[in-house]
Amino acid sequence: MEGYQNRVLRVNLKDSSSSTEPLNMPWVEKYIGGKGLGIKYLYEELSPGTNALSADNKLILITGPLTGTIIPCTGKLSIVSRSPATGTILDCSIGGHVAAELKYAGYDALIIEQKAKRPSYLYIEDDLVELRDASSLWGTGAHEAEKKLINSHGQDVKVLVIGPAGEKMLPMSCINTEFYRQAGRGGIGAVMGSKNLKAIVIRGTKGLRVGNMEKMMEIIPTLMREDTLSDHNYWAYTDGTPMTLELSQTSGVLPTNNFQDGTFQGYKKINAEAVAAVRKGKKACFSCCLACGNHTSAGSISIVGPEYETLALCGSNCGIDNLEAIIAFNRACDDMGLDTISVGNVVALAMEMTEKGVHDFGLEFGRVDSYLAVPEKIGRQEGIGVDLALGARKLAAKYGGKHYAMEVKGLELPGYEPRGSWGMGLAYATADRGACHMRAWPVGDEAFGDLEACSSRDKARLVMDLQHYNAAKYSAIFCDFWALEFETMADLINLACGRKYSAEDLVLAGERVVNLARLFNQREGFTAEDDTLPGRVFLDPLKSGATAGKVLPESEFTKMLKEYYALRGWNQNGSVKREKIEELEL
Amino acid sequence: MLIEVKFQLKGPLKRYLWDKDQARIKLNEGSTVADLLAAYNLPDRSTGMIAVNGKKERSQVVLVDGDCVIVYPPVSGG
């Protein structure tokens, strides 16, 4: 089929063998690509109960039908596996140019199996696939490793690499590319580490056939001008994600001091204007005209970032209003290969546990010196880093601070306070990989929009619809920051693939993906009991700003959850009914 | 009678203020945020959250002398 290379590369690290096979087209029909197709492959190929860090777990890198085309905002790569942090299904997406490179090498997907005998990296240059020695890279930071690989193989290669955190199989380790872009959540870096795989280096020189190139060339300039680059999306270029910080502050959903509050006194020092003041340039992914990445420099340190999530979790949530310190912290997390959302959470948790006398980690809200030392300590597994690397759930369980641990299914909360955006609470509780803002983002309609934010009314429908939208979007692989309609999505897939998808087909595909992810988790023993929120959200009122005095009452949460299960056609225990499986042809 | 309000546009909306960070504008008493946006030819679909004196408000809110209005673009995300 056009738009696809119709080829999957499968690599066995144990015996260094590789093979190719046709892309499973009946699955493509239903799941499109990216997230959905990756989950389908994993669901069918992974034996239930497989330990996420065992050799038997698989790592699936998968593109979409639009990857490598000139269609804007389609440059991301999906990476699918079982999560070492949560035990759930895990799909992450990573920007940059690596997805297009994989497609140009002639593959829609790369499935990595088993474990290499020694530290290795995978080198792919079109049909050449080799497992090479990475002993000299093992133990190095992600930045140094990527630089060395580029020096060895030339500027044209694209690299996926882990830092020391991934090597040590930490549950908050990520995969990096282009130094500052991450597949961040759920410990995806640990899966690479568990396979003795330091990096994947890709160079592709092949072409890609699309359904209607002439039409594509004709419509893309207009589409970019009138849709992608309209006021609706252009904030991504002018400011990038830091724009969100002031919205969160104003609406009282900015996590502050380990989610004890929803507003932060020092917000003006870390908002979009503050980031713009240290910005040196912009950075875009393949095929993107929005260029959301802010290349910043503070003191002697340069990064691409910090993104909103880092500003919120490693800034306000740790009581830090020093942008230079946040940039240094961000840089250290990137080099160690650590997810800033989870690290920001666990540091804030340790700060509160210290403050409340639960356990002294030597960390204090707002204190920069001890904070700055944390990423290296976690990544290198030294001092308090050994404890902090446990993640919020296990750290709290070890010392008795469960009430302060902000996580769902073992994954730490992103930067939107659910007490001031109740639909966001439901979205966190029902997201397939634990607390995630990228499965549904109702905060945009609630706290930042016109819907009543602290109300359960109609939120189940909102969250369900948004989950279908994002699941379809991540399967076709469009970036979050292009708020395109289902109809446009369908038109573009049809142009690339010569298909006749309708908007309704994509909604159905989204529903199918959400249900399949649910079935995966169900098979691994997850139930309705896991679809919950940290106790603090139900019990502790926020202190200041627009959400002062707010909680999300557990009774209201339960009401939303029951309504959500009913709307989905699931059993009241949250399991997928047989009729739904048949209806969706899962 | 006229009132004077301080007006800030964020991100891409700054171009409606000729790329200035902020402006002061005189409006008729009883004017709303929607009237203010219309005065600058700001299309409805181009605007997201509105804050008046640091508090989230709807565009129908009536302004008073000395108010500070901030208009954000719609964001999506992530």
Side-chain angles (χ1 to χ4, degrees):
Chain A
M1 189 191 297
E2 288 150 327
Y4 298 89
Q5 297 289 28
N6 303 299
R7 211 159 66 127
V8 173
L9 173 63
R10 197 176 286 271
V11 173
N12 184 317
L13 297 175
K14 192 176 174 185
D15 60 10
S16 307
S17 65
S18 67
S19 59
T20 60
E21 64 201 45
L23 190 63
N24 189 313
M25 294 322 283
W27 293 353
V28 168
E29 298 270 345
K30 290 182 186 169
Y31 298 95
I32 306 169
K35 174 184 171 106
L37 191 57
I39 291 176
K40 180 64 177 171
Y41 268 96
L42 194 73
Y43 185 85
E44 297 298 337
E45 293 191 6
L46 199 70
S47 301
T50 302
N51 185 310
L53 294 175
S54 72
D56 289 335
N57 194 11
K58 301 195 182 196
L59 188 68
I60 300 176
L61 286 66
I62 187 160
T63 64
L66 312 178
T67 309
T69 70
I70 59 168
I71 296 170
C73 307
T74 57
K76 286 192 165 185
L77 177 73
S78 281
I79 307 181
V80 179
S81 190
R82 186 174 185 203
S83 166
T86 62
T88 62
I89 188 79
L90 175 65
D91 71 281
C92 298
S93 70
I94 188 165
H97 296 70
V98 67
E101 206 68 32
L102 180 64
K103 195 90 169 266
Y104 291 156
Y107 312 106
D108 298 299
L110 163 62
I111 301 178
I112 298 171
E113 302 176 335
Q114 295 302 312
K115 177 182 180 178
K117 292 187 182 79
R118 60 188 70 83
S120 307
Y121 74 94
L122 185 61
Y123 182 79
I124 300 169
E125 186 178 348
D126 296 335
D127 296 331
L128 174 70
V129 181
E130 284 181 357
L131 196 61
R132 297 183 178 179
D133 179 49
S135 313
S136 65
L137 300 174
W138 205 254
T140 61
H143 291 163
E144 187 185 335
E146 184 166 359
K147 205 179 292 176
K148 281 184 173 171
L149 287 164
I150 290 170
N151 285 343
S152 299
H153 296 290
Q155 292 289 333
D156 290 335
V157 298
K158 299 295 174 282
V159 179
L160 290 162
V161 63
I162 57 169
E167 294 173 13
K168 293 179 193 312
M169 296 180 271
L170 305 184
M172 52 188 71
S173 56
C174 59
I175 299 174
N176 286 19
T177 190
E178 295 175 25
F179 302 98
Y180 304 109
R181 296 199 179 271
Q182 283 81 32
R185 307 233 65 200
I188 194 78
V191 179
M192 268 180 77
S194 74
K195 296 186 174 305
N196 263 336
L197 188 62
K198 178 73 177 177
I200 303 165
V201 179
I202 306 174
R203 173 69 179 133
T205 63
K206 298 182 182 179
L208 172 67
R209 185 171 292 280
V210 297
N212 192 338
M213 191 64 194
E214 197 179 336
K215 181 85 174 163
M216 203 179 272
M217 294 296 283
E218 184 193 325
I219 69 155
I220 293 300
T222 314
L223 186 76
M224 279 196 197
R225 193 171 54 247
E226 293 179 5
D227 191 330
T228 325
L229 292 171
S230 67
D231 287 340
H232 229 74
N233 309 299
Y234 202 53
W235 61 273
Y237 177 77
T238 57
D239 297 81
T241 58
M243 169 63 76
T244 311
L245 194 118
E246 237 175 76
L247 299 177
S248 291
Q249 167 76 12
T250 305
S251 52
V253 298
L254 181 64
T256 300
N257 293 352
N258 196 34
F259 288 83
Q260 293 183 78
D261 210 345
T263 60
F264 181 51
Q265 210 169 7
Y267 77 95
K268 283 190 178 167
K269 295 183 185 171
I270 60 170
N271 67 3
E273 276 84 6
V275 173
V278 295
R279 186 167 64 208
K280 305 297 171 201
K282 298 291 292 182
K283 197 149 169 65
C285 297
F286 180 90
S287 86
C288 182
C289 51
L290 286 173
C292 70
N294 290 311
H295 174 208
T296 58
S297 190
S300 59
I301 294 173
S302 292
I303 61 167
V304 178
E307 302 294 344
Y308 167 72
E309 294 296 334
T310 308
L311 293 164
L313 277 318
C314 306
S316 56
N317 203 40
C318 294
I320 303 289
D321 64 5
N322 178 331
L323 184 59
E324 193 173 333
I326 296 170
I327 288 173
F329 190 90
N330 192 155
R331 169 78 166 63
C333 283
D334 290 352
D335 193 35
M336 289 295 107
L338 288 165
D339 167 25
T340 56
I341 297 180
S342 286
V343 173
N345 263 280
V346 82
V347 171
L349 170 63
M351 287 171 167
E352 186 172 3
M353 286 166 78
T354 303
E355 185 182 79
K356 299 273 163 62
V358 176
H359 183 81
D360 187 0
F361 292 97
L363 295 166
E364 285 172 38
F365 289 115
R367 194 176 131 195
V368 166
D369 55 347
S370 47
Y371 155 91
L372 281 176
V374 168
E376 183 96 13
K377 284 183 177 172
I378 295 178
R380 300 283 178 202
Q381 287 292 271
E382 293 164 358
I384 59 168
V386 176
D387 268 348
L388 299 189
L390 293 170
R393 177 179 282 197
K394 288 183 181 164
L395 182 69
K398 182 172 178 181
Y399 292 104
K402 189 180 174 208
H403 187 69
Y404 315 124
M406 302 304 287
E407 52 82 19
V408 174
K409 298 183 178 75
L411 191 69
E412 292 79 9
L413 257 65
Y416 310 95
E417 169 54 63
R419 280 163 286 186
S421 190
W422 290 9
M424 203 67 231
L426 181 65
Y428 288 155
T430 57
D432 51 21
R433 63 179 186 179
C436 177
H437 59 295
M438 296 178 75
R439 300 299 173 261
W441 202 65
V443 68
D445 297 285
E446 305 182 292
F448 308 157
D450 290 335
L451 291 186
E452 198 181 335
C454 296
S455 162
S456 57
R457 195 174 167 192
D458 298 331
K459 297 298 170 62
R461 166 72 64 183
L462 174 69
V463 169
M464 185 180 78
D465 289 347
L466 290 172
Q467 286 174 341
H468 294 168
Y469 175 73
N470 275 7
K473 206 173 182 184
Y474 298 169
S475 298
I477 307 196
F478 285 99
C479 176
D480 281 280
F481 302 141
W482 184 10
L484 79 172
E485 305 288 340
F486 270 116
E487 287 75 11
T488 312
M489 235 189 274
D491 289 346
L492 293 173
I493 298 171
N494 294 340
L495 259 186
C497 306
R499 303 295 308 278
K500 287 185 177 168
Y501 280 118
S502 65
E504 291 73 27
D505 292 334
L506 295 186
V507 177
L508 182 64
E511 184 180 6
R512 200 174 271 135
V513 174
V514 170
N515 276 271
L516 187 65
R518 185 76 180 185
L519 282 174
F520 183 100
N521 290 345
Q522 205 171 294
R523 194 169 72 175
E524 299 299 342
F526 288 88
T527 67
E529 279 182 26
D530 300 294
D531 294 342
T532 188
L533 291 169
R536 163 163 280 167
V537 173
F538 300 138
L539 298 170
D540 296 356
L542 290 167
K543 295 173 181 168
S544 65
T547 50
K550 297 287 184 193
V551 294
L552 196 180
E554 193 166 6
S555 57
E556 291 295 315
F557 170 75
T558 305
K559 197 164 96 181
M560 289 193 290
L561 188 63
K562 287 188 170 195
E563 195 184 332
Y564 172 88
Y565 289 159
L567 277 171
R568 283 218 165 280
W570 293 351
N571 292 306
Q572 276 304 295
N573 66 4
S575 61
V576 183
K577 283 183 183 168
R578 177 157 297 281
E579 298 92 291
K580 183 54 81 176
I581 296 172
E582 285 164 6
E583 176 196 325
L584 296 172
E585 301 174 320
L586 292 172
Chain B
M1 190 173 163
L2 294 174
I3 58 166
E4 186 177 89
V5 299
K6 200 165 115 184
F7 184 39
Q8 278 185 40
L9 293 172
K10 296 284 186 172
L13 304 182
K14 282 181 187 166
R15 64 193 168 84
Y16 293 92
L17 271 179
W18 303 278
D19 286 334
K20 281 191 295 183
D21 281 340
Q22 58 186 51
R24 287 182 182 280
I25 181 173
K26 287 190 167 58
L27 297 164
N28 289 323
E29 196 176 36
S31 294
T32 63
V33 172
D35 297 325
L36 172 62
L37 300 182
Y40 283 90
N41 294 320
L42 253 163
D44 259 4
R45 72 177 301 274
S46 294
T47 62
M49 196 169 92
I50 294 160
V52 179
N53 305 325
K55 191 173 163 235
K56 183 182 156 189
E57 294 285 3
R58 289 174 186 266
S59 61
Q60 296 83 6
V61 71
V62 175
L63 295 167
V64 298
D65 192 50
D67 275 349
C68 174
V69 180
I70 303 177
V71 182
Y72 297 89
V75 295
S76 56

